[in-house]
């Protein structure tokens, strides 16, 4: 093998091992993954409460595998009160959960049990305990879909992100990602992810092969 | 008398044969032309196409910047056989596009990077139901920003769009995306040929430059979307190649016509091409003078031919705009300059700040421009509607390889300074092409600023200069010296590939994770 080609092959091998290692490390990182969102942005205050109370939000779609919800509630510098969540479909309780007091920041994550085994289109009710003032963050919405507390409507809808129950690596989450990539596209199903993967692989293989071939 | 194989035949027999077998001859000529293209160039182009298709699959439909408006324009053109007339603020999507737009949550996704694309079968079923129910293509083609653009890309897009008429919006948009990936392959092919022509020493380095372009993630992201920028990138790469040929081999009638044709195609593709026009005209002029070795009238013969070839289709399009299509002769909407009040001093300061740090003793005109935040970060990678970004440390870390490439480039330029001096006129033309484009983008942005409707600081507008990016990579490889050249070149390609792969993963995590 000519010297230049040998150097290219060795450099390529080292580079690809480094790249592969970086990929493995990145994809092994575990975190709680999303199952969905209500696509409301946390850009407006819907009100401030410190006295506790319950409000319900209609027209929520909680996807299959949801085991927690992340609500946009801001406590400022204080500590948040207890937050309880209940998910109803057609008036029937499907899942519920509770986060203890003491959380901080602009979101609170509430575990939900049982973990949903199918998509639930229904009403999400949030009960806030008494404590430090909490700001409800969301976006203005029409009255008919706005969150309601007692008999009155809030200014809009609260931002809700739906989460899977436990932290997972991308490896463990991959089957879900593959399924999702097949939604909303001209092609349907896992073929989208598989094709994308094979195409990138082919592009990389062709490129590196050409690099080696041309180095002779 | 029978003709021997390979012998020319003439007379009436030829005329008959020409008529009957012309498509076959064209196909044969096309195959012969393709065979003349080096295999390495074809492979690099194929890499770009494969990579672009991967990006087109990973990025959700309508999530490449301005895609809804380009779809809308194409739809109107297919149904009415003409580009859309201006509709002011009355832009209207068709029923079918509206349904896809709503069910794919295009607006919400673009506004909220924290949210995923479709994740449930429930959403998918609703999308399918709505696409089956709302099939109307009754939009006015003037939604959002594309309407003032010239029609050429959309005419090309009409072919895949028409092929998808039996399907739904998703099928048609993806087919148009595939057209863009083919254009990106063409761009990389032309970049390779440009590098071969402009930097003939060390052929291996051409592959490094072309692959560096093929794997550039912002380019790959754009190539996976329906956007006329992709044709502009191709034309710009063609222009750089044309001038590299002209300065190495001389200006001939055929090459002047070629440059004229490229100018016409560029003009009919996207208004931003105007930025490349001064450089192209300068290039023709300088090449004409060089050909005659003196500044005399005769030196303008071939440049004038090129300009004439360019002018005819442009004039025709302008006439059609005004006389048949109720459109402004050239540019309207966000490109309008009528009724806008400009200030020379404000404009000059704006242009400066658009690319460079504000001067300490001068009041800032606009906030938000930063060489690092807008141009560097954008080139490293801001995808989708500029809302999908790497973690901050990635951009900071990217400064290291960029600095190394620049240092190697400097080393190559110093080493080859004598050759540079000899090719000053050619470099001047490349510089004018680049400077013209930079000035045009800044001026277009200032025009928007003066109208109080934002700006246009997007790194994708710089991608017509991809040929120069390829040249920078190629020179950096040469700057490493003969001993380290294979190591540096290979490392650059692996880095570019890794950059691309992580860009794709970023898209996957943002939309599907």
């Amino acid at each position: 093998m000519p010297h230049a080609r040998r150097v290219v092959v060795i450099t390529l091998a080292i580079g690809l091992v480094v790249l592969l290692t970086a990929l493995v490390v990145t994809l092994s990182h575990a975190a709680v993954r999303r199952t969905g969102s209500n696509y409301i942005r946390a850009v407006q205050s819907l009100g401030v409460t410190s006295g506790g109370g319950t409000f319900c939000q209609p027209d929520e779609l909680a996807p299959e595998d949801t085991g927690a919800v992340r609500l946009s509630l801001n406590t400022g510098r204080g500590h948040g009160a207890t937050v309880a969540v209940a998910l109803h479909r057609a008036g029937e309780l499907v899942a519920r959960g509770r986060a203890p007091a003491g959380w901080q920041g602009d979101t609170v994550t509430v575990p939900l049990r049982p973990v949903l085994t199918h998509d639930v289109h229904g009403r999400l009710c949030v009960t806030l305990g008494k404590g430090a003032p909490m700001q409800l963050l969301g976006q203005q919405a029409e009255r008919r879909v706005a969150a309601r507390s007692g008999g009155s409507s809030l200014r809009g809808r609260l931002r809700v992100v739906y989460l899977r129950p436990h932290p997972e690596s991308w490896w463990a989450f991959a089957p879900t990602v593959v399924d999702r990539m097949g939604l909303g596209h001209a092609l349907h199903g896992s073929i989208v992810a598989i094709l994308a993967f094979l195409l990138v692989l082919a592009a990389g293989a062709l490129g590196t092969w050409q690099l080696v071939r041309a180095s002779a | 008398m029978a003709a021997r194989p390979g012998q020319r035949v003439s007379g009436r027999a030829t005329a008959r044969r020409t008529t009957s077998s012309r498509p076959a001859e064209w196909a044969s000529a096309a195959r012969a032309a393709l065979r003349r293209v080096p295999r390495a160039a074809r492979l690099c182009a194929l890499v770009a196409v494969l990579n672009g298709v991967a990006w087109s699959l990973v990025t959700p439909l309508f999530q490449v910047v301005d895609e809804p408006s380009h779809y809308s324009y194409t739809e109107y053109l297919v149904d009415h056989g003409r580009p859309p007339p201006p509709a002011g603020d009355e832009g209207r999507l068709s029923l079918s596009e509206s349904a896809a737009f709503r069910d794919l949550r295009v607006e919400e996704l673009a506004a909220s990077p924290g949210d995923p694309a479709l994740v449930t079968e429930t959403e998918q079923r609703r999308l399918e139901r709505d696409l089956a129910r709302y099939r109307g293509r009754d939009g006015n083609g003037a939604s959002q920003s594309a309407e003032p653009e010239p029609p050429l890309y959309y005419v090309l897009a009409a072919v895949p769009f028409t092929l998808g008429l039996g399907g739904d919006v998703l099928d048609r948009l993806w087919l148009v995306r595939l057209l863009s990936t083919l254009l990106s392959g063409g761009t990389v092919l032309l970049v390779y040929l440009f590098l071969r022509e402009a930097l003939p020493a060390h052929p291996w380095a051409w592959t490094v430059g072309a692959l560096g372009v093929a794997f550039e993630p912002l380019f790959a992201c754009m190539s996976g979307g329906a956007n006329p920028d992709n044709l502009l990138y191709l034309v710009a790469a063609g222009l750089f190649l044309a001038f590299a040929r002209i300065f190495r081999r001389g200006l001939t009638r055929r090459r002047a016509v070629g440059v004229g044709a490229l100018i016409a195609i560029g003009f009919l593709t996207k208004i931003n091409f105007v930025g490349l026009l001064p450089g192209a005209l300068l290039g023709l002029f300088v090449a004409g003078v060089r050909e005659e070795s003196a500044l005399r009238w005769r030196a303008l013969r071939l440049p004038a031919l090129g300009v004439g070839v360019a002018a005819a289709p442009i004039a025709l399009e302008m006439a059609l705009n005004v006389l048949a299509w109720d459109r402004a002769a050239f540019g309207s909407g966000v490109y309008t300059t009528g009724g806008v009040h400009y200030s020379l001093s404000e404009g000059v300061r704006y242009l400066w700040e658009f690319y460079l740090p504000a001067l300490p003793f001068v009041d800032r005109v606009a906030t938000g421009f930063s060489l690092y935040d807008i141009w560097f970060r954008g080139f490293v990678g801001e995808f989708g509607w500029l809302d999908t970004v790497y973690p901050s440390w990635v951009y900071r870390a990217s400064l290291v390889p960029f600095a190394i490439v620049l240092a190697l480039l400097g080393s190559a330029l110093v080493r080859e300074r004598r050759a540079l001096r000899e090719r000053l006129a050619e470099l001047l033309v490349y510089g004018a092409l680049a400077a013209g484009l930079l000035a045009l983008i800044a001026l277009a942005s200032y025009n928007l600023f003066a109208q109080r409707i934002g700006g246009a600081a997007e790194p994708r507008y710089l991608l017509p200069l991809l040929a120069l990016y390829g040249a920078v990579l190629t020179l950096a490889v040469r700057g490493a010296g003969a001993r380290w050249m294979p190591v540096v070149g290979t490392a650059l390609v692996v880095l570019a590939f890794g950059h691309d792969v992580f860009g794709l993963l970023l898209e996957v995590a943002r939309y599907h994770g």
Side-chain angles (χ1 to χ4, degrees), chain A residues 6 10 31 41 47 59 75 79 89 91 96 107 122 128 168 170 177-178:
Chain A
R6 198 165 54 234
I10 292 170
R41 285 183 293 152
D59 203 23
T75 59
H79 293 272
R89 182 181 48 199
R96 65 178 169 188
T107 59
L128 305 173
E168 288 162 287
W170 285 106
V177 172
V178 169

Side-chain angles (χ1 to χ4, degrees), chain A residues 34 37 39 119 159 184 210-211, chain B residues 40 114-116 122 124 204 510 513:
Chain A
R34 293 175 301 196
S37 159
Y39 298 92
D119 300 343
R159 174 168 171 77
Q210 170 55 27
L211 205 62
Chain B
D115 288 333
T122 308
Q124 174 70 18
W204 185 72
R510 185 255 186 265

Side-chain angles (χ1 to χ4, degrees), chain B residues 211-478:
Chain B
L211 287 176
V213 170
F215 286 129
E216 208 292 314
L218 180 62
F219 170 60
C221 177
M222 289 303 295
S223 77
N227 198 306
D229 283 20
N230 290 296
L231 183 55
L232 182 65
Y233 304 155
L234 178 80
V235 176
L239 211 50
F240 277 99
L241 170 63
F243 281 115
R245 285 230 159 127
I246 285 169
F247 280 100
R248 275 182 67 77
R249 307 179 191 198
L251 181 62
T252 60
R253 182 185 291 250
R254 197 171 158 182
R255 290 188 189 123
V257 168
V259 170
L262 284 168
I263 292 174
I265 294 170
F267 241 95
L268 299 179
T269 297
K270 185 154 179 164
I271 290 175
N272 281 14
F273 181 81
V274 172
L276 295 169
L277 188 64
L281 295 178
L282 178 72
L284 279 174
F285 176 74
V286 171
V289 172
R290 263 168 55 114
E291 210 58 33
E292 288 293 318
S293 307
L295 183 56
R296 59 171 84 107
W297 282 112
R298 203 178 141 74
L300 298 179
R301 194 172 46 95
L302 289 175
L305 175 67
V307 171
V309 167
I314 294 168
L316 178 65
E317 195 246 349
M318 285 178 162
L320 283 169
N321 273 339
V322 175
L323 302 173
W325 295 338
D326 303 321
R327 289 161 57 92
F330 187 72
S332 63
V334 294
Y335 295 104
T336 190
T337 52
V340 184
H341 299 289
Y342 303 103
S343 146
L344 182 63
S345 90
E346 184 188 67
V348 169
R349 280 181 291 150
Y350 187 95
L351 258 62
W352 176 276
E353 290 170 21
F354 198 68
Y355 296 111
L356 299 166
L359 296 170
F361 48 87
V362 177
D363 291 339
R364 286 199 75 133
V365 178
T367 54
F369 294 136
S370 148
L371 182 63
Y372 176 80
D373 286 330
I374 302 281
W375 304 109
F376 181 76
R377 279 177 59 107
F379 190 70
V380 171
E382 286 176 346
F383 311 118
W385 290 81
L386 311 180
D387 55 351
T388 307
V389 296
Y390 293 104
S392 298
W393 67 264
V394 173
Y395 299 98
R396 287 195 297 274
S398 302
L399 286 167
V400 177
F402 265 82
I404 293 171
V405 166
L406 287 182
L408 291 169
L409 171 69
S411 156
L413 294 179
V414 169
R415 196 175 296 179
E416 299 180 28
R417 56 189 178 280
R418 183 177 293 174
L420 285 179
R421 269 199 296 273
E422 286 165 5
R423 297 173 63 181
L424 210 54
E426 184 185 353
L427 293 176
L428 181 73
V429 171
Y430 298 151
L433 286 167
L437 186 75
L438 293 175
L440 184 276
I441 298 164
L443 284 169
S445 188
Y446 177 59
N447 187 37
L448 293 175
F449 175 79
Q451 294 177 60
R452 304 287 177 254
I453 49 174
E458 291 184 36
R460 70 185 163 110
Y461 295 140
L462 301 185
L463 295 187
L465 305 179
L466 277 171
L468 295 184
Y469 177 61
V472 166
L473 295 179
T474 304
L475 282 168
V477 171
R478 287 164 56 161

Side-chain angles (χ1 to χ4, degrees), chain A residues 24-60:
Chain A
V24 169
V25 169
T26 305
L27 298 178
S28 302
H29 172 70
V32 175
R33 310 286 170 198
R34 293 175 301 196
T35 56
S37 159
N38 66 355
Y39 298 92
I40 296 293
R41 285 183 293 152
V43 290
Q44 282 169 318
S45 172
L46 305 179
V48 179
T49 174
S50 59
T54 298
F55 65 90
C56 292
Q57 196 152 281
D59 203 23
E60 284 290 321

Side-chain angles (χ1 to χ4, degrees), chain A residues 174-183 185 187-200, chain B residues 54 57-58 508 512:
Chain A
T176 307
V177 172
V178 169
D179 287 344
R180 287 180 183 182
M181 285 178 72
L183 301 176
H185 208 284
L187 305 177
H188 299 292
S190 50
I191 186 72
V192 174
I194 293 168
L195 199 56
F197 174 74
L198 291 178
L199 285 166
V200 180
Chain B
L57 289 167
V58 166
V508 170
H512 312 291

